[in-house]
């Protein structure tokens, strides 16, 4: 095991192996303190960041963070590494890579150059460089990256901000879900996906919700995709039975053990991807996977230990989840950044930093990355913090955000963004919805030529029947 040393604040700090160095270099967060791997002081953190900046990028190919022999995610990362794409930056240190990213992001051909090196980057490289970047660095580089995916709408185009419309209901009542869906559509939301977290694990309940959403889509010819966020194995079975499945959802994580705690492995995820693609329900593309991640998931399942039995910091493990996502060619990936709770991200400051890190790492690894800008009710955070993160991520070019009625998810019991929050971000930053959805809004008099959402009486709009109790349940 390599011992890394760096002197700071009048003393010499030692870091025992790459796992320890990455953890100690991470900006402060409660999850790493809970795991016992965080820096003990600002001085130790600064020393670790300095030592990390001097580390050659090739180290991450030689010293796995999680053992190759026991973890299929590590094997995926190293076995699919693109040496040719890495060759142009392989001589750099982590600090040199940061400088290269910032210089490249300022070029007119930034998007192409950043995309070209993406396959040569491992999640650990990207996590490492994020640890020595300021928030503005994360925003500047992420904004320069373009990742586009498509199904019935096109997500990730420059100048666009898509939204997931999340019409959850504590009893899966179809009228409640229809009312929330109407609310969101009238406010220009839903172009990334209309996605329901079901209150029940019942396949029949999931099927009923999928039929409901598909009926709404077909009745009003809305260019959107729907998803019920049930387990991938359930979705595979529903698709085989002819239920109208658009997207295949699954939560994923950065270690084999954490994925096993979700009831999945790489093979099952690939089967889900193939099942969804085989239906060929998309119109402008056939990216069918919808994946969610979140810092702390491996720690919460006790599957966060790496090489030498040392705990791996939660942000590095989060970046490794993006390797799993990358191999599935998804339509959507989002981190539920504050959802797991203050045990992992304690307050607004930590949530904001983690959201920017996750978005930066995901985009740099080639993912159509969005963020559920959210917090739980027992976290030291409030809606002002969410306003700040929404504004920063909109500047950083996030592909989509999640929106719920009134910013309050009454089924999951956490705080996210409202439909109006998305309108604020689009107006402030001059952003539009996905182009196919944008055209639909304008064609039905729900938005003007500039994309501004117009006030509409739901009883006189093309969606008026959604407000009635006659919608199929």
């Amino acid at each position: 095991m390599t011992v890394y040393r760096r002197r700071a604040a009048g003393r010499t700090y030692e870091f025992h192996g790459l796992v320890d160095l990455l953890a100690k270099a991470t900006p402060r967060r409660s999850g790493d303190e809970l795991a016992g791997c965080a820096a003990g002081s600002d001085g130790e953190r600064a020393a670790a960041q300095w030592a990390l900046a001097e580390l050659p990028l090739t180290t991450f190919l030689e010293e796995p963070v999680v053992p190759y022999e026991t973890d299929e995610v590590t094997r995926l990362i190293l076995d699919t590494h693109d040496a040719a794409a890495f060759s142009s930056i392989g001589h750099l240190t982590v600090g040199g890579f940061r400088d290269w990213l910032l210089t490249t992001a300022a070029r007119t051909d930034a998007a192409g150059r950043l995309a070209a090196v993406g396959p040569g980057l491992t999640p650990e490289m990207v996590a490492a460089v994020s640890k020595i970047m300021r928030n503005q660095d994360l925003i500047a580089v992420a904004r320069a990256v373009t990742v586009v995916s498509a199904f019935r709408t096109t997500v990730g185009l420059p100048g666009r901000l898509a939204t997931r419309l999340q019409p959850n209901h504590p009893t899966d009542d179809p009228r409640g879900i229809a009312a929330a869906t109407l609310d969101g559509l009238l406010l220009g939301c839903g172009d990334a996906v209309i996605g329901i977290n079901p209150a029940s694990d019942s396949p029949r309940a999931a099927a009923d919700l999928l039929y409901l959403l598909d009926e709404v889509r077909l009745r009003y010819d809305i260019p959107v995709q729907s998803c019920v966020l049930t387990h991938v194995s359930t979705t595979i079975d529903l698709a085989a039975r002819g239920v109208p499945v658009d997207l295949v959802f699954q939560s994923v994580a950065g270690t084999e053990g954490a994925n096993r705690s979700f009831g999945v492995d790489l093979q099952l995820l690939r089967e889900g991807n193939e099942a969804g693609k085989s239906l060929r329900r998309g119109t402008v593309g056939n990216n069918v996977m919808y994946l969610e991640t979140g810092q702390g998931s491996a720690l919460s399942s006790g599957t966060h230990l790496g090489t030498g039995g040392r705990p791996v910091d939660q942000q590095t493990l989060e970046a490794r989840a993006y390797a799993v996502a990358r191999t599935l060619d998804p339509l959507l990936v989002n981190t539920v950044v504050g959802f797991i709770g203050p045990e992992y991200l304690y307050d607004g400051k930590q949530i904001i930093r983690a959201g920017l890190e996750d978005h930066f790492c995901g985009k740099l690894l080639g993912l159509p990355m969005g963020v559920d800008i959210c917090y739980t009710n027992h976290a030291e955070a409030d809606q002002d913090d969410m306003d700040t993160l929404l504004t920063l991520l909109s500047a950083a070019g996030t592909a989509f955000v999640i929106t719920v009625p009134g910013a309050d998810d009454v089924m999951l019991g956490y705080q996210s963004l409202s439909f109006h929050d998305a309108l604020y971000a689009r107006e402030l930053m001059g952003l539009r919805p996905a182009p196919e959805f944008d055209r639909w809004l304008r064609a039905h008099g729900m938005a003007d030529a500039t994309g501004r959402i117009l006030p509409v009486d739901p009883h006189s709009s093309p969606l008026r029947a959604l407000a009635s109790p006659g919608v199929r349940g």
Side-chain angles (χ1 to χ4, degrees), residues 150-169:
F151 190 75
R152 292 194 190 97
T153 61
T154 306
V155 178
L157 291 168
R160 305 281 176 171
L161 174 62
T163 56
R164 170 182 163 190
L165 196 173
Q166 184 168 294
N168 294 345
H169 191 278

Side-chain angles (χ1 to χ4, degrees), residues 124-356:
E124 292 86 352
M125 294 175 192
V126 174
V129 75
S130 74
K131 297 175 191 297
I132 62 168
M133 297 175 80
R134 291 172 55 185
N135 286 359
Q136 65 172 267
D137 300 338
L138 300 174
I139 294 167
V141 175
R143 183 180 181 86
V145 179
T146 298
V147 182
V148 178
S149 60
F151 190 75
R152 292 194 190 97
T153 61
T154 306
V155 178
L157 291 168
R160 305 281 176 171
L161 174 62
T163 56
R164 170 182 163 190
L165 196 173
Q166 184 168 294
N168 294 345
H169 191 278
T171 63
D172 289 340
D173 181 83
R175 292 197 295 180
I177 288 171
T181 301
L182 170 64
D183 190 18
L185 289 170
L186 289 174
L187 289 168
C189 292
D191 47 331
V193 64
I194 303 176
I196 302 172
N197 297 89
S200 167
D201 290 331
S202 161
R204 179 174 179 178
D208 287 344
L209 294 175
L210 286 168
Y211 279 117
L212 168 64
L213 294 180
D214 205 49
E215 181 177 337
V216 170
R217 177 186 69 85
L218 291 171
R219 184 182 299 185
Y220 305 107
D221 195 25
I222 313 173
V224 293
Q225 40 275 339
S226 64
C227 185
V228 172
L229 281 66
T230 189
H231 193 269
V232 60
S233 59
T234 301
T235 306
I236 292 171
D237 291 342
L238 293 174
R241 289 166 38 198
V243 176
V245 170
D246 286 345
L247 303 187
V248 179
F249 171 81
Q250 185 55 50
S251 295
V252 296
T255 67
E256 179 178 337
N259 283 320
R260 193 183 305 117
S261 75
F262 290 143
V264 300
D265 57 21
L266 295 179
Q267 180 57 36
L268 181 59
L269 291 170
R270 293 182 180 116
E271 290 173 11
N273 193 21
E274 290 307 310
K277 287 187 173 182
S278 69
L279 302 176
R280 305 203 65 83
R281 290 173 55 84
T283 55
V284 296
N286 201 33
N287 300 111
V288 300
M289 296 299 289
Y290 177 20
L291 305 169
E292 279 193 340
T293 68
Q295 289 194 26
S297 59
L299 174 58
S300 68
S301 61
T303 56
H304 61 294
L305 299 181
T307 300
R310 291 182 174 272
V312 183
D313 70 273
Q314 65 184 36
Q315 191 254 337
T316 297
L317 291 179
E318 170 71 5
R320 283 169 54 93
Y322 304 150
V324 176
R326 179 166 62 175
T327 195
L328 297 169
D329 195 23
L331 176 73
L332 306 169
V333 181
N334 72 259
T335 168
V336 286
V337 66
F339 180 75
I340 303 180
E343 299 85 358
Y344 308 97
L345 296 170
Y346 179 73
D347 57 15
K349 181 180 177 66
Q350 292 186 13
I351 292 171
I352 289 168
R353 172 69 191 190
L356 295 176

